Structures are given as structure tokens and as C-alpha cells.
Amino acid sequence: MRIRAGYALIVLLTVVVSLMAAHVIDAPSSQPSAEVELQSAFEERRDDFWIEASGRVTRLLTDDLEGSRHQRLIVRLETGQTLLIAHNIDLAPRLEGIEVGDRLRFRGEYAWNPEGGVIHWTHRDPAGTRPGGWLEWNGRRYR
């Protein structure tokens, strides 16, 4: 009888531990992902905050040559939202050879627009007053 009770206790503990582990693994994060935060910011027309995220390049645009020169490209996040990346090539190196389909990580400041938003300040701050941002592609960080 003691052997059966001991065996039943072991089985019960195994089930409880398994359920607890499944709950911990499946529990939603208390902090939203960067992509969810960007989607929320777009829907609420909120901007002027720093963010670090990644997406796939869907379009390469011509450089913006008015004022400071910017390399421009469109990335799509896993949420489906698209962002314009405006990378100042007067302050940071150009991403030579980047192609549609490439994965791009970025850190910069989000600015709202009706098309999904813009990420800018993807470079160091020459004045040293902002934390600065970067683009990361093909194992290299551009800042």
C-alpha cells in the first residue's frame, strides 16, 4: 500500500510540475515587444520615443538629398507594419549592398506618419546630448 501511495505522489508531483512549467513558458510577457509597441504608437499617433527593433527590407528608396543626406528604405515588421528608415549618411556610413529581403536591426527615434512611421536618428549624436542610434546589418553596426 505504501508503494502505491508513494508512486501516486510521484505521478501527482510530476503532473503539477509539468503544468507549472507549461504555464511559465506560455505566460505572456509583462513587457510588450518592440513591434507591438510600434504598432500601438502608430494606432495612437504617438511618437518621439527611442526604440530598438528589427524588420525585413521591402523597398530601397532614392536618397533624400535635401539638407542632411539620408539613405532611405522601407522595412516591414513581423506585425505587418511598415516603417521608413531615414539614415543620415552625412553622419554615419551608408549600408552599401543592402537588398530587399535582408533583415535589418535598428535603434532610433520613432516619428509618426500615416504610412506607418519613420525611424530616424540611426546614428551617433555629434553633440553628445542624445543616446544615439544605429543600424545593424550583415554583422556590422552602422552609427
Side-chain angles (χ1 to χ4, degrees):
M1 188 70 161
R2 292 175 107 182
I3 294 176
R4 284 186 184 171
Y7 178 74
L9 182 60
I10 289 172
V11 169
L12 179 62
L13 286 174
T14 303
V15 169
V16 169
V17 168
S18 296
L19 289 172
M20 288 175 62
H23 178 71
V24 169
I25 291 169
D26 294 337
S29 171
S30 62
Q31 299 213 347
S33 72
E35 289 80 10
V36 170
E37 185 176 351
L38 285 163
Q39 185 68 43
S40 174
F42 173 69
E43 291 167 359
E44 298 166 7
R45 296 181 176 218
R46 183 171 42 91
D47 61 7
D48 296 328
F49 62 90
W50 288 84
I51 190 90
E52 184 177 320
S54 66
R56 291 250 178 232
V57 176
T58 60
R59 275 184 74 197
L60 302 173
L61 305 174
T62 59
D63 290 350
D64 176 2
L65 303 176
E66 293 184 27
S68 297
R69 299 175 310 139
H70 287 78
Q71 183 178 14
R72 301 177 311 148
L73 43 100
I74 305 292
V75 297
R76 180 176 306 280
L77 306 177
E78 289 193 18
T79 59
Q81 180 180 356
T82 57
L83 295 169
L84 169 65
I85 305 290
H87 182 59
N88 187 321
I89 52 177
D90 286 335
L91 295 175
R94 166 188 293 284
L95 282 72
E96 294 291 351
I98 193 164
E99 296 180 1
V100 170
D102 288 353
R103 176 155 292 287
L104 180 70
R105 289 198 47 77
F106 56 86
R107 172 178 160 65
E109 188 175 47
Y110 175 77
W112 185 90
N113 75 18
E115 287 79 35
V118 179
I119 299 292
H120 64 116
W121 275 93
T122 59
H123 54 80
R124 63 178 170 69
D125 179 6
T129 60
R130 294 181 181 215
W134 41 260
L135 297 179
E136 199 170 83
W137 168 70
N138 220 15
R140 181 176 172 203
R141 189 168 281 186
Y142 298 76
R143 46 179 326 185

